[in-house]
Amino acid sequence: RSTTTCFEPGRRWTLQSASPGYTGIFDYRVDAEGSGTRVTHTADIRPSGLRAWLMLPLVIRGDRRHRRRALPNLKRLLEGSP
């Protein structure tokens, strides 16, 4: 389950997420840079319990993979394409 905690259209989106064994804060920032745009994503994932700590490297790897796949969609949305 995720809840948006900050939303600034065209600039920033932050959400807080909770799942069994983990909580996380995910922040996306969009800034103009030269003739392009820089997107910065940070993830603060916090495990609770031994099993969650042991699984943390896999969780982080999965999060990175998911974010990389999401970037083309984010680019399309920022450019206003359908």
Side-chain angles (χ1 to χ4, degrees):
R1 178 176 176 171
S2 296
T3 304
T4 296
T5 58
C6 178
F7 182 68
E8 299 171 22
R11 292 195 33 83
R12 185 175 181 198
W13 178 39
T14 306
L15 55 115
Q16 187 169 352
S17 182
S19 61
Y22 301 93
T23 59
I25 298 174
F26 303 89
D27 187 58
Y28 298 85
R29 292 179 186 258
V30 179
D31 296 295
E33 185 172 279
S35 62
T37 303
R38 173 181 295 272
V39 176
T40 304
H41 169 253
T42 57
D44 181 9
I45 301 171
R46 297 184 183 238
S48 60
L50 179 60
R51 183 170 182 249
W53 272 103
L54 293 173
M55 296 296 294
L56 187 59
L58 295 174
V59 170
I60 290 171
R61 188 177 313 144
D63 180 67
R64 285 182 183 150
R65 190 176 311 125
H66 173 74
R67 303 303 162 210
R68 271 190 235 114
R69 285 194 309 252
L71 282 176
N73 201 32
L74 178 60
K75 182 178 192 270
R76 180 182 57 79
L77 291 169
L78 289 171
E79 291 174 346
S81 303

